[in-house]
Amino acid sequence: MKCRVCRGPAVIDIRRHNAAFCDQHFLHHCREQVRRAVKDHQMLLEDDRVLVAVSGGKDSLALWDLLVELGYDADGLYLGLGIGDYSDRSTDAARAYAAERGHKLHEVDLAADYGYDIPSAAAATHRAPCGACGLSKRHLFNTVAIERGYDVVATGHNLDDEAAVLLGNVMRWETGYLGRQQPVLPDAPGFVRKVKPLIRLGEREMAAYCVLRGIDYIVEECPMAEGNRHLGYKEVLNALEDRSPGTKSAFVFGFLDRVHERFAGDAGAERAELGECSVCGSPTTGDVCAFCRLRERAGGG
Ligand code: AMP
Ligand code: FES
Ligand code: ZN
Ligand code: ZN
């Protein structure tokens, strides 16, 4: 296996690009894919202050690394979810990366700062923990970014994540979600811009990137997410990709280029009717926002 660029020994092959790369040219490939995603979807301006949501996993640490390499002013935000050992080890990974490279990491802890954690929220709502978790993350990424003066929040969602979410939304024809499924969500009153610069890179590429860059990340997945629907979609897509490389990116980018627009109206209607949460001031359709209601129910209100 030889590097497509220099013909030296390759360390990774990427079947959907029909290409293999040596270590240096693979790192270059990753940077170029991020550069292209940012440019194609107009994700970032040169002097934006970027807040990278870092979980301690491979994707978000690699994203932080890549954005700094590309010259962006990017700080990290870690959210302590209170999921036992898993959260402790994620905290360590995020802190260690920031400390070693001298980057600034903001930390918010659900239990200490908001009086609840994901297990207590799941128990109180009698629902899968991922719902409360996703809601808490979306709310706090946005609030922290606004309060601390960032222009944009970047998350580590990669091509595999986007394809799985898209498949899930298509299977259930969630038209509102399909309308919002974009690699960049523009800012709006009360919302900062949200971007997914890893959309052109797969899970395997992100793991390889971290190994080559010496980034220690937490390998285990969240124990509360085990067996969720999302993971099932990933398995199905991996089987398809295996038979026919390029399927995932054709699915995601075909949707973005040719289909997404048709659902844009379904997403827009919801944002139009927003008022302010009477507790925290965040945009909401009701009197009290979903985050404050969750917090109240989970014992932190
Ligand atoms: P997930 O929802 O776990 O698939 O994670 C998607 C993205 O959300 C990650 O790539 C991170 O950018 C961000 N994220 C997940 N967990 C955390 C966390 N505990 N703190 C900060 N950001 C997170
Ligand atoms: Fe959210 Fe596990 S990371 S429930
Ligand atoms: Zn090479
Ligand atoms: Zn609120």
Side-chain angles (χ1 to χ4, degrees):
M1 211 167 58
K2 288 194 177 136
C3 172
R4 170 200 259 183
V5 185
C6 70
R7 313 307 294 164
V11 295
I12 185 167
D13 81 311
I14 306 172
R15 286 175 66 207
R16 77 172 183 287
H17 290 303
N18 205 359
F21 295 104
C22 71
D23 48 4
Q24 288 313 309
H25 288 122
F26 173 68
L27 296 176
H28 178 76
H29 156 85
C30 294
R31 289 191 296 268
E32 285 309 305
Q33 294 300 317
V34 170
R35 201 196 299 277
R36 177 152 171 213
V38 167
K39 183 164 169 267
D40 285 356
H41 304 281
Q42 296 168 306
M43 291 184 186
L44 302 172
L45 300 172
E46 227 169 76
D47 55 358
D48 270 342
R49 287 193 73 212
V50 187
L51 187 63
V52 184
V54 288
S55 64
K58 60 185 185 323
D59 303 303
S60 48
L61 287 176
L63 171 62
W64 197 1
D65 199 71
L66 281 157
L67 290 178
V68 171
E69 284 280 296
L70 289 172
Y72 289 101
D73 174 9
D75 297 336
L77 167 63
Y78 174 77
L79 198 59
L81 302 168
I83 307 175
D85 283 356
Y86 166 76
S87 285
D88 296 340
R89 281 196 291 276
S90 325
T91 317
D92 292 345
R95 282 184 189 162
Y97 174 82
E100 275 164 23
R101 319 253 162 162
H103 298 340
K104 183 178 175 67
L105 179 69
H106 297 275
E107 292 190 36
V108 170
D109 188 73
L110 278 186
D113 301 329
Y114 292 93
Y116 75 95
D117 57 19
I118 296 306
S120 70
T125 55
H126 307 291
R127 294 259 180 87
C130 300
C133 180
L135 169 62
S136 307
K137 284 180 196 160
R138 281 192 300 280
H139 177 88
L140 291 168
F141 294 167
N142 190 60
T143 312
V144 171
I146 290 176
E147 284 173 2
R148 303 188 192 182
Y150 290 89
D151 300 296
V152 50
V153 170
T155 53
H157 295 95
N158 58 36
L159 177 61
D160 295 75
D161 297 321
E162 289 307 289
V165 171
L166 178 60
L167 182 57
N169 288 338
V170 166
M171 296 302 273
R172 286 158 194 273
W173 293 116
E174 298 278 10
T175 56
Y177 289 148
L178 286 168
R180 255 169 292 151
Q181 188 164 359
Q182 278 170 283
V184 48
L185 272 183
D187 58 352
F191 294 104
V192 291
R193 189 178 347 129
K194 289 179 195 90
V195 299
K196 300 172 181 171
L198 297 185
I199 187 153
R200 301 185 59 85
L201 290 159
E203 214 144 76
R204 203 172 130 259
E205 288 154 275
M206 296 338 298
Y209 181 89
C210 286
V211 171
L212 292 174
R213 291 282 294 163
I215 298 173
D216 276 324
Y217 61 90
I218 170 167
V219 177
E220 65 191 284
E221 302 278 340
C222 169
M224 304 201 80
E226 248 168 48
N228 76 10
R229 228 190 276 139
H230 193 75
L231 295 180
Y233 291 133
K234 279 194 173 175
E235 281 170 22
V236 170
L237 286 161
N238 284 340
L240 293 171
E241 180 77 17
D242 202 42
R243 285 190 178 196
S244 154
T247 302
K248 272 183 220 173
S249 68
F251 182 46
V252 169
F253 292 104
F255 168 74
L256 293 176
D257 292 343
R258 302 197 294 272
V259 187
H260 171 265
E261 191 57 35
R262 302 181 192 209
F263 296 105
D266 295 82
E270 290 169 29
R271 272 197 174 184
E273 302 148 21
L274 295 178
E276 274 184 16
C277 168
S278 60
V279 181
C280 74
S282 293
T284 175
T285 45
D287 172 38
V288 176
C289 78
F291 174 80
C292 290
R293 280 184 276 132
L294 173 69
R295 187 181 172 194
E296 174 77 40
R297 281 182 80 182

